[in-house]
Amino acid sequence: MTEYGTAAADPATRPLKVNSWNGWDPLRHVVVGRADNTVVQAPEPAVQRDFPDDGYPLGTYGPMPADMTAEANEQLDNFAELLRRRGIRVDRPTPLDFNRQVGTPDWTQETMSGCMPPRDLLLTVGSEILEATMSYRSRWFEYLCYRPILQRLFDADENMRWEAAPKPRLTDASYKPGFWDTYHTLGTEEQLARVRDYDLALTEAEPLFDAADIARFGKDLFVQLSFVTNRSGYRWLKRHFSDFRVHAVTSTNTHPLHIDATWVPLRPGLVLHCGERLADAELMEFFRRNDWEIIEAVQPASWEHQPRLSYCSPWLAGNMLNLDPNTLCIEEKEVPLADQLSSYGFEIVPVPFRAVGPFGGGLHCATVDIERDGTLEDYFPHRYGRY
């Protein structure tokens, strides 16, 4: 019998299979991103990069520095090899030339972005892999990086469901004009009020969502409304996953962008919560009434040496990868968090990953599950409030 953390030595001998219902069952197959060809995106309605101290003030764009790309790729490659040594099958995306103009009949965009964070684009629910809409024009074509993997899975696993959400048009009607100019002038309370009311960058002209705004807890899916996920996207997901309970959630985060460093499942009955981004009281009580313990994450380790060109928060510390219910991969410098979670009985696998942050996130962002052992289970038998 295979123990947690010691999967079969040669994953290539196992048949390809799509199966993943949550974020903690034993991991058997995963995609790890690449930093190749990543660019600082050209400005667009949904996002504007501004790194004046690092040579990329607002309005400028182009390839990430070669030394940064090389260091990030070294850490990604080493992480992929660490997973393989643990018997986990690893696939990698096929990078495009992201530093080129792209467009549709509705718009032209001067650059794409990259393919480091597959979690943003792909969502695995059971035997289905769903391609998210994405809400950045620079990421509209990113799905092409993963099509070779998806095609191979489709050919090998007759039970695999390959789905794609409606490809958005991303016309100007999908964005609130001048949003960023106004939002940056608001005080914290005004920004939080707009988050609560979902009065953010996106309109409701069409369904929009990133896969990384969805947290999987078996029968329940929690969808964060954010800068990249609108209510229409949530409604589309609710209809698409009609056999599941799909919940819209927000937190006290002035810049919500992906849920996987805010509300992090660890194992059945245990969830990690970013204390600076409090979930609403109804969600907290819903978890408690179903006998879940909510851990408030310790403060992230010092980011005195935060890489340049990074748009990630220090709370990226909580962006970790579960190998099984007892084993967590955590960035090596996040010792306080590792110590905190060790006290709950987890084996901690420290992973050098700080250089990857500027390319789109942490260990969870950089991966997407293809196969985990386990079946669909209901971890929330009791209802509470809107949940």
Side-chain angles (χ1 to χ4, degrees), residues 46-364:
V47 62
Q48 297 179 344
R49 302 296 183 209
D50 188 11
F51 303 112
D53 295 336
D54 300 325
Y56 282 91
L58 185 64
T60 60
Y61 52 90
M64 293 286 283
D67 61 328
M68 292 181 63
T69 302
E71 186 178 7
N73 265 333
E74 181 180 10
Q75 292 190 347
L76 286 160
D77 292 347
N78 289 343
F79 180 47
E81 186 55 34
L82 179 156
L83 296 174
R84 290 190 184 103
R85 289 198 302 270
R86 285 179 166 256
I88 298 166
R89 189 196 302 261
V90 178
D91 275 321
R92 313 294 299 276
T94 304
L96 305 174
D97 175 9
F98 300 114
N99 189 33
R100 56 173 294 186
Q101 186 185 88
V102 292
T104 73
D106 290 313
W107 48 263
T108 299
Q109 171 67 19
E110 292 305 314
T111 71
M112 290 184 273
S113 179
C115 63
M116 197 296 292
R119 185 78 58 173
D120 295 3
L121 179 75
L122 300 177
L123 175 69
T124 306
V125 177
S127 61
E128 173 181 335
I129 299 181
L130 173 68
E131 298 176 18
T133 65
M134 312 303 287
S135 63
Y136 294 175
R137 291 171 178 172
S138 56
R139 304 191 71 176
W140 202 91
F141 290 97
E142 203 166 312
Y143 71 96
L144 296 173
C145 302
Y146 303 96
R147 282 295 176 88
I149 297 171
L150 297 176
Q151 184 68 57
R152 187 162 65 252
L153 291 168
F154 181 76
D155 292 342
D157 180 2
E158 63 180 12
N159 295 314
M160 184 253 196
R161 290 183 58 198
W162 179 1
E163 301 279 357
K167 205 65 178 164
R169 292 186 64 177
L170 299 184
T171 67
D172 289 347
S174 289
Y175 310 103
K176 293 180 181 173
F179 170 80
W180 293 110
D181 294 337
T182 301
Y183 195 74
H184 288 151
T185 68
L186 301 178
T188 299
E189 289 306 314
E190 293 174 289
Q191 290 180 341
L192 289 176
R194 293 188 67 166
V195 171
R196 286 193 299 271
D197 296 338
Y198 195 70
D199 181 14
L200 298 176
L202 304 178
T203 70
E204 301 297 340
E206 58 185 343
L208 296 171
F209 66 90
D210 279 13
D213 264 328
I214 302 161
R216 301 167 303 147
F217 290 75
K219 190 76 173 176
D220 291 75
L221 304 175
F222 297 87
V223 181
Q224 177 180 246
L225 304 179
S226 74
F227 286 148
V228 293
T229 298
N230 62 9
R231 290 191 182 277
S232 184
Y234 155 69
R235 289 195 299 270
W236 187 92
L237 287 160
K238 189 175 178 68
R239 296 181 197 180
H240 181 73
F241 292 112
S242 58
D243 293 334
F244 291 75
R245 294 184 293 258
V246 183
H247 314 281
V249 300
T250 59
S251 64
T252 54
N253 181 4
T254 59
H255 288 73
L257 183 71
H258 301 159
I259 197 171
D260 53 354
T262 298
W263 195 251
V264 183
L266 298 175
R267 64 186 179 219
L270 195 64
V271 63
L272 184 73
H273 181 29
C274 172
E276 288 187 4
R277 303 171 182 173
L278 290 174
D280 69 73
E282 211 166 55
L283 177 64
M284 302 275 276
E285 184 61 21
F286 172 60
F287 269 69
R288 292 190 183 104
R289 291 198 180 197
N290 284 280
D291 297 322
W292 282 73
E293 181 179 356
I294 302 169
I295 306 173
E296 183 174 326
V298 297
Q299 287 289 314
S302 172
W303 273 41
E304 293 177 1
H305 304 293
Q306 182 179 3
R308 65 191 191 275
L309 300 174
S310 179
Y311 50 87
C312 297
S313 155
W315 285 102
L316 192 64
N319 195 266
M320 63 190 81
L321 182 68
N322 297 59
L323 300 188
D324 58 54
N326 299 326
T327 312
L328 296 169
C329 292
I330 297 179
E331 209 288 323
E332 66 171 358
K333 291 184 173 62
E334 297 300 335
V335 176
L337 180 62
D339 290 344
Q340 180 186 27
L341 295 178
S342 290
S343 71
Y344 284 84
F346 288 100
E347 174 198 349
I348 304 301
V349 181
V351 180
F353 220 66
R354 192 74 96 208
V356 180
F359 293 80
L363 291 158
H364 196 256

